[in-house]
């Protein structure tokens, strides 16, 4: 149960005397409305056997080997950008799966729109990662690229490159096309041509602020260097994992679920790497760049929810039949299915643990007596508007919290729609009104940043008090 007295304890008669920003007349009343809540919890993964079965089902050990391989030792962004590009490449495979689906009852129209949106969201995140790379003095210019506008470039006539001529009198721009990626092939397939062309134009638009482009056949009208896409992404190795260990199961949704979870796990791995970088940047006082990374993590949580929403478009009967064919629910397992992903649990914990960085950001130490030292420092930071990079970072940390809680709330709704309400409450066991299941606990637990929450509460009440006092003074003058 949530302790509702914590704000009341901080709003004591002594506190305004310690904070010169607030009037002694300031009073905040919080009604003591009893309700059932949850305390801060630490999510735990499912049993080892369930997690291992999950990893085997989606061939995650092989994917981890590809994600963690280091082909370019001087390129620090490789560990982040590589799995992001591989998630994009797996999405291209998903597009192929959708357009190869011969079922007359498949909702291809809406699924196509969702995949287009999902692909665009991924391209946008990849562009943000590359933009951040260009801003860092230690990462700028380290990516493996090919400058096709240089005099040493060779135009190959075997279909792996394409020429684009600009206005007469200007230089010729050569746009490189990946030989191993599925996207150029989708662009030549009549049923998927319009989707592939839309993706190519999305790449062109999203990469405009980047120093190089991806080299997937986009127009490249500005003549930028091309990333060595095939060397970085290694599409052939990714597509070698296109068959699941349960590929013998005769169910069209089998490949959809398999591919969807590979995309999901790839972005979870990206988030893990970025969260580690957030910690490093906070420790090195790069608050502005740490804030950029935090907002990137927030976007990834939103992307994960978008990926999970793809389950809503799967055929109910086929999906539930596949669930039983794969034996996705064990009688001994009570944890939600998503907690079989060890890295999802890990990034959830890591995001929650970022709260311990708040004192370091504010430049204060935690009061061992439980005083409002952090809260007062946050109030000064918000009101003085001097170190705005720190404000960006604190806002971004709270944005991560909101996105994380929205993800787990949305995930529970997906479970309800796809599998039924009993599955959403864990192993078909009804949860009483006295308790909460583990998913509900995650999005109902108190804020991770109580000091920041209290600081904003006081500032809001302070401004309201000042406005009320001003109105009273004006009223007395009129009298």
């Amino acid at each position: 149960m949530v302790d509702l007295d914590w704000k009341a304890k901080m709003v004591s008669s002594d506190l305004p005397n310690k904070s010169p920003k607030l009037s002694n007349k300031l009073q905040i009343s919080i009604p003591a409305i009893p309700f059932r809540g949850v305390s801060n919890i630490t999510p735990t993964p499912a049993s080892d056997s369930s997690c291992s079965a999950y990893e085997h089902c989606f061939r995650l050990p092989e994917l981890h080997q590809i994600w963690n391989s280091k082909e370019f030792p001087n390129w620090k962004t490789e560990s982040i950008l590589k799995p992001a590009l591989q998630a994009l490449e797996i999405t291209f495979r998903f597009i192929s799966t959708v357009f190869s689906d011969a079922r007359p009852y498949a909702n291809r129209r809406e699924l196509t729109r969702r995949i287009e949106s999902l692909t665009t969201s991924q391209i946008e995140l990849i562009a943000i990662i590359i933009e951040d790379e260009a801003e860092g003095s230690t990462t700028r210019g380290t990516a493996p690229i090919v400058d096709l506008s240089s005099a040493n470039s060779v135009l190959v006539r075997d279909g792996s490159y394409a020429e684009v001529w600009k206005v007469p009198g200007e230089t010729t721009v050569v746009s490189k096309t990946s030989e191993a990626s599925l996207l150029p092939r989708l662009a030549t397939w009549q049923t998927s041509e319009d989707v592939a062309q839309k993706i190519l134009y999305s790449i062109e638009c999203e990469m405009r602020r980047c120093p190089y482009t991806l080299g997937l056949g986009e127009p490249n009208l500005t003549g930028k260097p091309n990333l060595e896409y095939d060397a970085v992404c290694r599409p052939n190795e990714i597509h070698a994992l296109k068959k699941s260990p349960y590929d013998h199961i005769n169910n069209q949704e089998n490949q959809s679920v398999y591919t969807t979870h590979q995309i999901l796990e790839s972005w979870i791995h990206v988030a893990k790497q970025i969260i580690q970088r957030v910690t490093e940047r906070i420790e090195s006082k790069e608050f502005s760049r740490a804030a950029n990374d935090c907002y990137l993590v927030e976007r990834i949580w939103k992307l994960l929810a978008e990926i999970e929403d793809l389950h809503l478009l799967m055929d109910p009967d086929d999906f539930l039949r596949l669930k039983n064919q794969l034996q996705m629910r064990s009688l001994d397992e009570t944890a939600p299915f998503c907690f079989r992903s060890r890295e999802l649990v890990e990034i959830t914990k890591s995001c929650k643990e970022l709260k311990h960085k708040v004192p370091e950001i504010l430049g204060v130490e935690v009061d061992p007596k439980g005083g409002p030292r952090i809260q007062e420092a946050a109030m000064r930071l918000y009101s003085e508007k001097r170190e705005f990079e720190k404000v960006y970072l604190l806002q971004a940390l709270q944005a991560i919290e909101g996105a994380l809680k929205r993800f787990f709330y949305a995930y529970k709704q997906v479970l309800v729609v796809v599998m039924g309400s009993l599955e959403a409450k864990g192993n078909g066991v009804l949860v009483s009104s006295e308790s909460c299941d583990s998913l509900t606990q995650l999005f109902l637990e108190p804020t991770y940043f109580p000091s920041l929450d209290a600081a904003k509460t006081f500032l809001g009440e302070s401004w309201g008090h000042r406005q009320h006092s001003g109105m009273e003074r004006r009223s007395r003058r009129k009298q």
Side-chain angles (χ1 to χ4, degrees):
M1 186 172 179
V2 177
D3 181 10
L4 292 179
D5 293 332
W6 69 273
K7 287 186 178 179
K9 292 173 184 175
M10 287 192 285
V11 187
S12 61
S13 58
D14 296 332
L15 186 55
N17 295 328
K18 296 180 181 179
S19 180
K21 299 289 182 183
L22 303 177
S23 168
N24 288 331
K25 297 181 180 180
L26 175 59
Q27 297 293 333
I28 303 177
S29 60
I30 300 178
I33 302 175
F35 71 97
R36 296 201 174 273
V38 292
S39 302
N40 288 93
I41 64 165
T42 301
T44 55
S47 63
D48 287 341
S49 59
S50 296
C51 291
S52 299
Y54 174 88
E55 293 166 358
H56 171 72
C57 181
F58 302 114
R59 302 186 68 174
L60 297 187
E62 293 99 318
L63 278 176
H64 273 278
Q65 289 181 356
I66 301 175
W67 293 336
N68 296 327
S69 63
K70 299 292 184 182
E71 303 294 330
F72 308 95
N74 296 326
W75 186 31
K76 292 184 178 180
T77 319
E78 180 183 6
S79 61
I80 296 175
L81 192 57
K82 178 191 289 185
L85 292 173
Q86 289 167 346
L88 184 64
E89 187 64 35
I90 297 171
T91 307
F92 300 154
R93 191 173 79 218
F94 193 21
I95 295 173
S96 175
T97 300
V98 170
F99 283 98
S100 301
D101 190 352
R103 294 176 299 170
Y105 52 86
N107 192 355
R108 182 182 296 180
R109 181 177 181 180
E110 183 60 28
L111 189 53
T112 300
R113 290 174 176 171
R114 294 289 183 99
I115 295 178
E116 286 178 345
S117 174
L118 176 64
T119 306
T120 302
S121 298
Q122 293 180 78
I123 295 169
E124 182 181 1
L125 291 177
I126 289 170
I128 294 173
I129 295 171
I130 295 175
E131 288 174 30
D132 179 86
E133 175 188 84
E135 293 174 359
S137 58
T138 60
T139 55
R140 187 186 307 116
T142 58
I145 58 174
V146 176
D147 187 357
L148 296 173
S149 62
S150 66
N152 295 327
S153 298
V154 178
L155 181 61
V156 183
R157 301 288 183 179
D158 61 357
S160 61
Y161 295 85
E163 287 188 53
V164 178
W165 280 272
K166 281 189 168 184
V167 179
E170 297 187 8
T171 58
T172 301
V173 178
V174 183
S175 178
K176 181 180 179 181
T177 301
S178 165
E179 298 180 15
S181 174
L182 277 181
L183 183 59
R185 304 178 198 179
L186 292 173
T188 62
W189 190 17
Q190 184 177 1
T191 55
S192 60
E193 180 182 4
D194 59 335
V195 175
Q197 290 296 332
K198 186 174 181 180
I199 294 172
L200 290 172
Y201 287 123
S202 295
I203 295 173
E204 178 73 13
C205 293
E206 295 296 339
M207 303 295 290
R208 289 188 65 83
R209 289 192 291 266
C210 300
Y212 55 87
T213 189
L214 298 184
L216 286 171
E218 63 273 21
N220 192 17
L221 298 177
T222 55
K224 293 180 180 179
N226 285 257
L227 179 71
E228 294 263 16
Y229 183 88
D230 290 349
V232 174
C233 180
R234 297 157 70 180
N236 289 332
E237 295 184 27
I238 290 296
H239 297 312
L241 303 178
K242 67 180 180 180
K243 288 187 177 182
S244 84
Y246 304 98
D247 205 50
H248 59 279
I249 294 177
N250 185 22
N251 192 318
Q252 184 63 35
E253 299 296 1
N254 187 21
Q255 187 60 225
S256 298
V257 171
Y258 176 74
T259 308
T260 299
H261 278 82
Q262 285 194 336
I263 299 170
L264 182 80
E265 289 293 333
S266 298
W267 278 107
I268 289 173
H269 188 76
V270 174
K272 176 183 174 182
Q273 305 303 313
I274 297 175
I275 294 170
Q276 292 175 357
R277 195 168 70 176
V278 168
T279 303
E280 294 170 0
R281 288 180 170 178
I282 292 176
E283 292 173 352
S284 60
K285 308 301 181 184
E286 297 179 87
F287 297 126
S288 180
R289 300 194 71 194
N292 294 338
D293 276 347
C294 287
Y295 281 119
L296 187 55
V297 173
E298 178 208 13
R299 287 171 177 263
I300 292 177
W301 277 111
K302 294 178 179 179
L303 178 68
L304 298 182
E306 189 176 354
I307 296 170
E308 290 289 359
D309 281 349
L310 293 175
H311 291 88
L312 300 175
L313 297 174
M314 297 180 185
D315 180 74
D317 182 67
D318 289 349
F319 179 83
L320 292 173
R321 178 164 55 90
L322 176 66
K323 174 195 168 188
N324 287 278
Q325 289 172 320
L326 294 176
Q327 297 180 349
M328 294 169 66
R329 170 60 68 187
S330 125
L331 294 176
D332 299 329
E333 186 60 69
T334 58
F337 184 79
C338 63
F339 285 177
R340 300 187 184 192
S341 170
R342 288 189 174 100
E343 284 203 333
L344 178 63
V345 175
E346 185 177 347
I347 67 169
T348 302
K349 292 180 180 178
S350 299
C351 287
K352 290 165 67 77
E353 290 302 312
L354 289 174
K355 63 185 177 184
H356 299 304
K357 293 296 179 181
V358 172
E360 183 177 350
I361 296 168
L362 293 173
V364 297
E365 295 182 359
V366 178
D367 190 339
K369 296 182 179 180
R373 187 182 296 171
I374 299 176
Q375 172 194 322
E376 291 177 342
M379 291 171 65
R380 286 193 297 270
L381 178 68
Y382 291 144
S383 59
E384 290 175 357
K385 295 181 172 61
R386 292 178 182 175
E387 299 176 288
F388 49 84
E389 297 91 350
K390 293 185 177 181
V391 177
Y392 296 163
L393 180 53
L394 294 179
Q395 291 289 91
L397 289 174
Q398 290 188 289
I400 290 178
E401 177 188 1
L404 184 155
K405 290 181 176 180
R406 283 195 297 271
F407 168 79
F408 285 106
Y409 177 81
Y411 180 80
K412 183 167 184 177
Q413 307 315 306
V414 169
L415 284 183
V416 170
V417 174
V418 175
M419 298 186 183
S421 58
L422 292 183
E423 182 71 23
K425 293 176 180 177
N427 203 27
V429 179
L430 285 172
V431 179
S432 70
S433 59
E434 300 286 326
S435 62
C436 293
D437 61 272
S438 52
L439 283 179
T440 303
Q441 290 176 14
L442 277 171
F443 59 78
L444 286 185
E445 63 181 328
T447 176
Y448 307 155
F449 307 96
S451 296
L452 302 183
D453 180 74
K456 291 179 178 178
T457 301
F458 270 85
L459 281 177
E461 291 290 336
S462 174
W463 280 112
H465 179 69
R466 293 176 190 178
Q467 184 178 4
H468 180 69
S469 299
M471 292 175 63
E472 285 184 347
R473 286 193 296 269
R474 286 191 296 268
S475 176
R476 284 195 295 267
R477 290 195 194 102
K478 290 180 180 179
Q479 293 175 357

